[in-house]
Amino acid sequence: MSALRVLVGCKRVIDYAVKIRVKPDKTGVVTDGVKHSMNPFDEIAIEEAVRLKEKKIASEVIAVSCGPQQCQETLRTALAMGADRAIHVDIDSKDYETLQPIHVSKFLAKLAQDEKADIVIVGKQAIDDDCNQTGQMTAALLDWPQATFASKVEKNNGDLTVIREIDGGLETIKVKLPAILTADLRLNEPRYATLPNIMKAKKKPMAKKTPSDLGVDVASRQEIVSVEDPPVREAGQKVESVEELVTKLKDSGLV
Amino acid sequence: MKASYALRRLLSNNYSIQCHTKRTFYRSFLRQTVPLTSLRYPNLKRSGYSALTDKDLSVFEKLIPGRVLTGSSELDGYNTDWLKTCRGSSQVVLRPKTTEEVSAILKYCNERKLAVVPQGGNTGLVGGSVPVFDEIVISTQLMNQIISLDEISGTLVCEAGCILGNLSDHVAESGLIMPLDLGAKGSCHIGGNLATNAGGLRLLRYGSLHGSVLGLEAVLASGEVVDCLSTLRKDNTGYDVKQLFIGSEGTLGLITKASILCPQKPNAVNVAFLGCDSFERVLDIFKESKMKLGEILSAFEFLDADAIAVARDNLKLSIPIDDTFPFYVLIESSGSDGAHDEEKMNRFLEDMMNRGYVIDGTVASEPAKIQYIWSVRERIAEGLMHDGYCYKYDVSLPLSHYYGLVEAVRKRTQGNTTRVIGYGHVGDSNLHLNATSPEYSQTTMDLLEPFLYDWVAKHRGSVSAEHGLGFKKRDFIYHSKSESAVRIMNQMKQVLDPNGILNPYKLLPTVIR
């Protein structure tokens, strides 16, 4: 089999060093004027794709991001890390508010076919909605095998050998190509884009598509009822003696 | 949302924002015994202060019930400095909550001629925050209330024991930042920062604390409260008395409250991390950055290859770019317009690359990446402690001689040190030179001092740029200050603390010329 083409999903999310604030009307979180960056798991996905290319296993890495205009910044980061070209699926901000993994999976599935991708890599989940659905649904739509929570990927003949992170340990599986991978935290440590590559990235091609180009209906499938802050941690209490501790635990019905 | 939060924590723990671990680290090294300062410096004699009695303890217990700590295991942390180079033998730690309590304690100690050492987060690097003999420790730990924040003027009023990092978080809620930032922000107290006139990473942009502190309240040795807690920027009514306490290292009074002018938090921050092949190139880049980045330049730091090795080998941090360059530069820009700043930064970096000043580098505008890059620079001090003993120097030097000192010291101490590293605030002409060895060695010390201080004096530098003189450097004061200046300092000390109970054996030299 000749070298592979890899498609990578790169979601733009609120940077994980930023403190999240819930909107006063509880319809979502504040995103205006808030620093965004690439979903860290997608960064790992891009890194893996670029490493596959460096090992000559992959011939081309295509980065995809679905969302408003600013997603192009996220894609530039992917290009600076080593992706060859990018596709921005432009979603207007109103539709983006209710965009779900099902929509993104349809975009990715269509693009994987159009671009004749052999591997689609996405982060195992995005740190904003924590859905952990996109990779799996893309696999279902394409009817491709999937290797989720990957912590190591190797190519053997025509197959991929993938070590997966599962409860209590690791699982090694083999998948036939074409396949979907979802990247777990320990798959690799993403690189920092170097200055020459940041400059080169400015000249790499970035295509723009709309949902209708890809034949995907982005109508909302669900309604957000309420978004709430996690409960504030209550202050602890100090006790003077073991007896007092035991009494308090008994009083509150814990022992 | 909850899961997402947990995940963010997981991510940050895994490869970024290693939240400052000084405290836990501190506990682990206390298991090794640090020699008593009085034994390491046998020529130093205890001055004629009274010795602590049970009666004194009961008086303290009346003044601040339940906040008098005794018992050696509890006192270990208060007696030993962060660098584990100094250890006192204080028998008691007092933890007042209010200015009135500090006043009552000092009044009593002054009458009894009991020596005291004011202590904040105990992150000082010159042995200034721990007792030398048995001085009573007065900790500002419980004086940690934020009093007010005026969002329009940016004036923060708080108590001395507030932790710098907590203040940063608090003012950030109102879109402001603290005018100073340093590696120890997770533990250091603002009172200690003021008392030592701490510099740090933002000095280049926001100036020293002498400018950004608008007012403070301090208690003199007599117990008298000096109220200079102004919140005004302009106030030319006589001598500016508060300035006396800033940088006095607790020898003139104990700072209890402060009002500080906080700048607006910049909307856009970019950090570049660059590799270059000589120190001359570092200076070229600095010169160009002042010209090309102009008003958005907010920090200019450098690290040499040996400093990078500390981050990589001792702290297991991955270096954002190739780790084989002899010199690294960290440039931060802060401004109000992200697109404008980024364009400016990119143009500057492209130019530096094209001219060959910069061989390789990376640039980030995402907060998580920015924090990570900064952590490589900020955690060097912590990383050095893994080597064993750290000989720590903090000098100011004209940039033309700046790195020459590192080369001279490296050559002179070859074979007697684990490593000699140079890093610091090039933008402020402030060099951090550190040497390490597995344990304290008098031979190494004799090679370093007074050679290093003589070298600095010869090139018209300062033997202490931002750490202060404390206990360890006080006898080198004449390398940087004239006899007349030191005499005035001594006279001020006599006026404000005639019994000399406040932080003795610190700042002023053993012998006044």
Side-chain angles (χ1 to χ4, degrees), chain A residues 15-16 43 127 130 189 193 195, chain B residues 4 8 318 361-362 368-369 372:
Chain A
D15 187 275
Y16 69 72
E43 241 181 340
I127 61 167
D130 280 351
E189 196 183 329
L195 290 175
Chain B
S4 171
R8 276 163 194 269
S318 42
T362 187
K369 282 189 180 142
Y372 183 81

Side-chain angles (χ1 to χ4, degrees), chain A residues 14-20 29 35 37 40-41 43 125 127 130 185 189 192-196 198-199 228, chain B residues 1 3-4 7-8 11 14-16 173 274 318 320 349-350 353 360-363 365-369 371-372:
Chain A
I14 295 178
D15 187 275
Y16 69 72
V18 170
K19 197 170 169 231
I20 303 294
V29 300
K35 283 278 179 190
S37 57
F41 292 109
E43 241 181 340
Q125 69 195 79
I127 61 167
D130 280 351
L185 188 63
E189 196 183 329
Y192 281 74
T194 63
L195 290 175
I198 293 170
M199 289 177 211
E228 311 266 347
Chain B
M1 292 303 294
S4 171
L7 193 61
R8 276 163 194 269
L11 280 162
N14 267 280
Y15 55 75
S16 180
E173 299 274 317
L274 313 169
S318 42
L349 292 174
E350 217 171 311
M353 290 283 291
D360 197 5
T362 187
V363 60
S365 58
E366 302 96 324
K369 282 189 180 142
Q371 280 181 20
Y372 183 81

Side-chain angles (χ1 to χ4, degrees), chain A residues 156-204:
Chain A
N156 285 318
N157 304 320
D159 303 333
L160 292 181
T161 305
V162 179
I163 299 181
R164 303 180 61 234
E165 302 218 2
I166 58 169
D167 281 350
L170 299 171
E171 179 187 56
T172 306
I173 61 167
K174 242 189 220 174
V175 286
K176 287 201 188 321
L177 290 172
I180 307 282
L181 302 180
T182 77
D184 212 323
L185 188 63
R186 277 156 283 267
L187 180 58
N188 59 53
E189 196 183 329
R191 71 192 64 191
Y192 281 74
T194 63
L195 290 175
N197 287 337
I198 293 170
M199 289 177 211
K200 271 185 226 153
K202 288 180 189 162
K203 295 184 185 99
K204 287 183 178 174

Side-chain angles (χ1 to χ4, degrees), chain B residues 266-268 296 334-338 341:
Chain B
N267 292 333
I296 63 167
S334 312
S336 55
D337 181 340
D341 292 3

Side-chain angles (χ1 to χ4, degrees), chain A residues 237-248:
Chain A
Q237 285 178 31
K238 275 191 179 171
V239 291
E240 296 294 329
S241 64
V242 176
E243 290 73 28
E244 196 189 336
L245 175 67
V246 172
T247 315
K248 288 221 170 194

Side-chain angles (χ1 to χ4, degrees), chain B residues 341-354:
Chain B
D341 292 3
E342 212 162 302
E343 198 190 318
K344 224 168 168 175
M345 176 66 103
N346 286 340
R347 219 170 27 221
F348 163 71
L349 292 174
E350 217 171 311
D351 184 37
M352 293 298 93
M353 290 283 291
N354 290 340

Side-chain angles (χ1 to χ4, degrees), chain B residues 462-513:
Chain B
S462 166
V463 297
S464 179
E466 60 175 9
H467 292 173
L469 295 165
F471 170 71
K472 286 194 238 162
K473 297 183 180 178
R474 61 182 181 133
D475 282 322
F476 296 100
I477 192 170
Y478 290 109
H479 277 66
S480 300
K481 285 282 148 69
S482 68
E483 293 187 7
S484 56
V486 178
R487 267 200 300 277
I488 292 173
M489 291 184 204
N490 192 46
Q491 283 162 2
M492 291 188 327
K493 174 76 176 173
Q494 301 299 329
V495 170
L496 294 177
D497 178 18
N499 291 336
I501 64 159
L502 284 172
N503 217 7
Y505 326 105
K506 316 279 171 64
L507 192 141
L508 289 167
T510 327
V511 181
I512 306 284
R513 288 180 196 162

